[in-house]
């Protein structure tokens, strides 16, 4: 039996990059995946790319910074599935700016999309995961994976709001792991520099790309599937004794 057969997962930010590749991993191993994001077209395009895989792929338009949208998402999940086993809190990003020029709105948005969304979605869907598992009398391995960042472990120029939010995600993951134990395992994955729509503009600058490679022990930028593989592992029963951990997938950046 494939690793995710009979399992249902919600992937926020599932319309592109790391989220889309994580959805592909889970669906290719038999899981049902609900892709969440703000742009319907992007979600539909990704769902279409995944339609021939073993699992089922559904889409739900929602802004994970908005409580009303999260309530709609919760209703959608209830309507479409009889249980939720996996939540991947992957939506995130930021607009770079030096601290001394950063607007309050920019700061607040980074906290909202990267950190507060993890709280709001985990609260709503964590409860749904527990309720449906109890109803079905199957409190077997349930799992939340939060996508943090290498930037949550170290400082980076012009992303102080993002670094602060991602560091908080790593520690919030530990707090959630304690509170939701023993039923839901909660872990985070911290990617290094990965080629996705988020980093596309930066990678067009050859000098910038060269500096990324220089800083990375493996001497290259990461690919979304290399992060998705680790997220899928943390979400799967193979990681059944792991909770409150952060898995750093950074090509060796942090060790030097
Ligand atoms: P991406 O392709 O831009 O993915 C981010 C996704 O989040 C998009 O599909 C976006 O879709 C969605 N999103 C953004 N704001 C949202 C909101 N308010 N509500 C719902 N969905 C929202 O970039 P990515 O690199 O794959 O990023 C995925 C995660 O990895 C992020 O948390 C990012 O911080 C983290 N990460 C990335 C890197 C990297 O180098 N790429 C490194 C470390 C960590 P819509 O705009 O359509 O909503």
């Amino acid at each position: 039996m494939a690793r995710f057969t009979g399992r249902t997962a919600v992937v926020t930010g599932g319309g592109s990059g790391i989220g889309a590749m994580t959805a592909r991993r889970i669906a290719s191993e038999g899981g049902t995946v609900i892709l969440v994001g703000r742009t319907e077209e992007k979600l539909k395009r990704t769902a279409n790319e995944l339609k021939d895989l073993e699992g089922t792929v559904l889409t739900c338009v929602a802004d994970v910074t908005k409580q009303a949208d999260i309530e709609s998402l919760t209703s959608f999940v209830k309507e479409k599935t009889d249980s939720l086993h996996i939540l991947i809190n992957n939506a995130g990003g930021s607009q770079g700016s030096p601290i001394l020029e950063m607007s309050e709105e920019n700061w607040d948005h980074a906290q909202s999309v990267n950190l507060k969304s993890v709280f709001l979605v985990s609260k709503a869907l964590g409860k749904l995961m527990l309720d449906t598992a109890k109803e079905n009398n199957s409190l077997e391995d349930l799992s939340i994976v939060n996508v943090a960042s290498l930037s949550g472990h170290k400082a980076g120029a012009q992303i102080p709001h993002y670094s602060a939010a991602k560091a908080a995600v790593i520690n919030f993951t530990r707090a959630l792991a304690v509170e939701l134990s023993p039923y839901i395992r909660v872990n985070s994955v911290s990617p290094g520099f990965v080629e996705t729509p988020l980093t596309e503009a930066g990678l067009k600058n050859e000098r910038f790309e060269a500096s990324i490679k220089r800083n990375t022990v493996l001497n290259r930028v990461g690919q979304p599937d290399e992060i998705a593989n680790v997220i899928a592992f943390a979400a799967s029963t193979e990681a059944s004794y792991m909770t409150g951990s952060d898995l750093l997938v950074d090509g060796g950046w942090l060790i030097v």
Side-chain angles (χ1 to χ4, degrees), residues 40-219:
E40 183 167 27
E41 191 196 339
K42 203 153 71 175
L43 297 176
K44 295 277 184 220
R45 192 173 55 231
T46 300
N48 194 42
E49 284 165 13
L50 306 184
K51 73 177 188 311
D52 295 330
L53 299 175
E54 204 182 321
T56 305
V57 181
L58 305 170
T59 63
C60 180
V61 176
D63 182 332
V64 292
T65 67
K66 298 196 170 130
Q67 182 59 31
D69 284 24
I70 292 167
E71 281 163 23
S72 306
L73 167 64
T74 308
S75 303
F76 179 87
V77 178
K78 272 188 199 162
E79 189 192 313
K80 298 288 178 189
T81 69
D82 62 358
S83 48
L84 178 67
H85 308 97
I86 295 166
L87 166 62
I88 314 290
N89 281 309
N90 164 76
S94 69
Q95 200 69 45
S97 164
I99 297 180
L100 300 185
E101 289 162 30
M102 183 174 290
S103 69
E104 189 177 346
E105 290 71 27
N106 189 355
W107 174 272
D108 285 347
H109 178 259
Q111 306 316 310
S112 191
V113 71
N114 293 292
L115 175 60
K116 189 177 167 189
S117 69
V118 178
F119 157 62
L120 291 176
V121 179
S122 299
K123 183 179 167 189
L125 295 188
K127 185 167 181 329
L128 183 67
M129 285 164 91
L130 284 179
D131 288 349
T132 52
K134 280 179 192 154
E135 269 166 33
N136 297 329
N137 217 5
S138 64
L139 274 161
E140 85 279 27
D141 197 36
L142 305 172
S143 172
I144 296 177
V145 183
N146 299 324
V147 179
S149 175
L150 169 65
S151 301
H153 292 265
K154 61 178 262 306
Q158 306 206 359
I159 49 168
H161 49 351
Y162 181 76
S163 298
K166 290 296 193 183
V169 168
I170 293 166
N171 215 23
F172 181 66
T173 297
R174 298 181 184 123
L176 258 187
V178 172
E179 286 219 21
L180 301 183
S181 163
Y183 300 117
I184 308 184
R185 295 181 302 99
V186 190
N187 295 286
S188 54
V189 171
S190 286
F193 203 96
V194 183
E195 188 176 351
T196 70
L198 190 71
T199 55
E200 199 176 11
L203 287 174
K204 283 191 178 135
N205 179 328
E206 280 178 23
R207 280 180 58 193
F208 179 73
E209 187 185 8
S211 80
I212 297 293
K213 289 182 177 167
R214 236 186 354 263
N215 276 310
T216 309
V217 170
L218 292 181
N219 199 31

Side-chain angles (χ1 to χ4, degrees), residues 14-27:
S16 61
I18 292 167
M21 204 44 92
T22 302
R24 172 176 286 279
R25 184 77 273 138
I26 294 172

